[in-house]
Amino acid sequence: MSETQSPAGPLSALRLEERLRDTRLFFGQALRTFHATGSIVPSSGALAYEMAEYVRRRPDPEQSLSILEAGAGTGAISRGIAAAMRPGDTIDLVEANPEFAAHVEELLKTDPEMSRVADSAAVHACLVNDMGTDRTYDVIVSGLPFANFTAEQVESILDHYFTVVRPGGTLSFYGYLYTKQVKAVIAKREDYLRQARSGWVVQDWIDRYRIDSARVYANIPPAWVHHLRKPEWESAGERPRAL
């Protein structure tokens, strides 16, 4: 396990006005749809950098990657992925919120980092499960707030990820530090129990497939990032279900 304190490389050059614009959009949407966003500010550059770890760290340096980002939001993590992409890589950016999806489409035209990969990117304004299973990926980066979903929804999403990620491929996702402890104090009992059950599902997948984890303190709130790998031998029908 490691700690990520700050971004590196192109991410540090993100202009202040772009950060403020993204924050205003994200904050406005979060006030109305907190269940879908899970936060009130966009992810930091440090979190984006860690989430893109397995776009940078590829087994074959010459290998082109097929990438899926689920829950692209305002593109904060998308920029981190774009910075790590190389010629030949492709990315599907999936975002169910239509205002966020339109914003990411605009970033592919106007943002210096995003526009670099515009010809290799496609934005999909839908739920990730609605993407179907005809496309497969080497790397999946998920920004979906699992703590806000039911255990059944989390299991369905993770199962979808491991259906469309290729054997040997990776899944990276994050969750906020200390949310369980905070909710134990301030949340209604039913909300706390729902999050606890969702957390059990997530932990089961982490226990079975984790290859690395990192704490990112330079984020609001601080976050855990978990990297999972689908075994080379495993198919969807062979995966045991979480209890």
Side-chain angles (χ1 to χ4, degrees):
M1 298 183 187
S2 59
E3 295 181 3
T4 299
Q5 298 288 349
S6 61
L11 289 178
S12 62
L14 184 61
R15 296 190 300 268
L16 177 61
E17 60 267 28
E18 290 176 329
R19 291 184 183 275
L20 294 174
R21 179 194 59 194
D22 291 357
T23 300
R24 285 193 295 269
L25 174 62
F26 194 96
F27 184 74
Q29 289 294 302
L31 290 178
R32 295 194 291 110
T33 59
F34 181 77
H35 182 272
T37 57
S39 181
I40 58 172
V41 293
S43 301
S44 70
L47 181 56
Y49 185 82
E50 179 61 36
M51 289 284 281
E53 174 67 14
Y54 283 85
V55 179
R56 292 187 301 275
R57 191 196 304 184
R58 52 192 79 196
D60 179 354
E62 304 302 318
Q63 175 190 6
S64 296
L65 299 178
S66 177
I67 305 160
L68 168 67
E69 183 189 7
T74 58
I77 290 176
S78 309
R79 289 189 181 99
I81 298 171
M85 288 175 63
R86 302 178 186 175
D89 293 347
T90 61
I91 184 168
D92 283 322
L93 299 145
V94 180
E95 174 50 58
N97 182 306
E99 291 194 40
F100 285 168
H103 180 69
V104 174
E105 285 270 20
E106 185 64 21
L107 289 179
L108 288 170
K109 302 173 186 175
T110 61
D111 180 82
E113 203 62 69
M114 296 288 289
S115 61
R116 187 178 66 84
V117 301
D119 292 342
S120 304
V123 177
H124 307 267
C126 65
L127 297 172
V128 68
N129 290 47
D130 293 339
M131 287 285 288
T133 57
D134 58 321
R135 308 178 193 210
T136 57
Y137 301 94
D138 301 295
V139 176
I140 298 177
V141 177
S142 175
L144 297 181
F146 291 146
N148 287 13
F149 298 155
T150 67
E152 292 75 18
Q153 289 171 325
V154 172
E155 184 73 37
S156 175
I157 293 167
L158 289 171
D159 192 67
H160 178 78
Y161 288 161
F162 264 53
T163 298
V164 298
V165 73
R166 294 166 183 156
T170 59
L171 164 65
S172 299
F173 63 88
Y174 68 90
Y176 297 124
L177 290 167
Y178 316 122
T179 55
K180 183 177 179 181
Q181 292 87 338
V182 171
K183 285 208 170 185
V185 176
I186 67 173
K188 295 179 180 179
R189 183 173 184 273
E190 56 269 28
D191 289 337
Y192 173 74
L193 291 176
R194 176 195 50 74
Q195 180 178 305
R197 294 186 184 104
S198 298
W200 295 337
V201 173
V202 172
Q203 190 61 51
D204 178 68
W205 285 72
I206 291 172
D207 291 343
R208 283 189 277 153
Y209 300 113
R210 176 171 56 189
I211 52 175
D212 194 15
S213 292
R215 292 184 183 92
V216 181
Y217 290 108
N219 191 71
I220 302 175
W224 266 115
V225 176
H226 300 291
H227 303 290
L228 280 56
R229 174 170 284 128
K230 180 178 178 178
E232 294 279 358
W233 51 263
E234 186 175 278
S235 67
E238 294 172 321
R239 286 197 296 279
R241 294 287 181 173
L243 298 177

